Amino acid sequence: MAAADRPRWRTSSRTDNGEKCVEVAPTADGVLVRDTKDHGAGPVLRYSYREWAEFLAGPVVTTGEQLTRHDGTSVLTRWHLRDTLHFTTAEWDAFLAGARDGEFDFTLTPSR
């Protein structure tokens, strides 16, 4: 994949270390979401721009607590996206704060 075609991942400016957080990347046809703890090897969720806008506007739902493992380290998580990605409360709160600030309001034709 050419460098110009690779997603440009970003995290919320509210994230304290950039290593354990929600990462998002606009593409030509939507938005990708992944967990930095997976170092690019974990699942990536794909949202159309319409779905992304609805996601950001919708209520946040917690599905309980779960102990997950990343790089051999156990992490207590509470937040889930489609039962695929799991985030700690601090990671999710930083993402939501950035979303509220408009950091992830991508246009239908994102600059790349």
Side-chain angles (χ1 to χ4, degrees):
M1 177 183 296
D5 296 330
R6 289 189 193 119
R8 294 195 177 168
W9 295 97
R10 61 182 83 175
T11 61
S12 170
S13 64
R14 303 290 187 95
T15 301
D16 60 356
N17 63 14
E19 295 177 8
K20 296 180 179 180
C21 51
V22 182
E23 275 187 305
V24 298
T27 67
D29 58 352
V31 177
L32 305 176
V33 181
R34 70 181 183 183
D35 185 344
T36 59
K37 293 186 297 295
D38 293 329
H39 306 289
V44 175
L45 300 181
R46 299 172 190 279
Y47 291 88
S48 70
Y49 280 104
R50 180 187 55 76
E51 291 171 326
W52 183 246
E54 290 172 0
F55 170 75
L56 291 179
V60 176
V61 177
T62 181
T63 58
E65 294 183 342
Q66 180 174 343
L67 194 61
T68 59
R69 295 189 66 78
H70 297 277
D71 292 333
T73 302
S74 293
V75 179
L76 180 64
T77 61
R78 288 193 177 98
W79 307 103
H80 307 269
L81 293 178
R82 295 186 189 168
D83 293 325
T84 303
L85 297 178
H86 307 272
F87 299 100
T88 66
T89 300
E91 293 164 353
W92 193 247
D93 287 348
F95 166 74
L96 290 178
R100 279 191 300 273
D101 290 345
E103 294 181 9
F104 306 115
D105 292 344
F106 304 119
T107 65
L108 296 180
T109 53
S111 59
R112 300 188 70 171

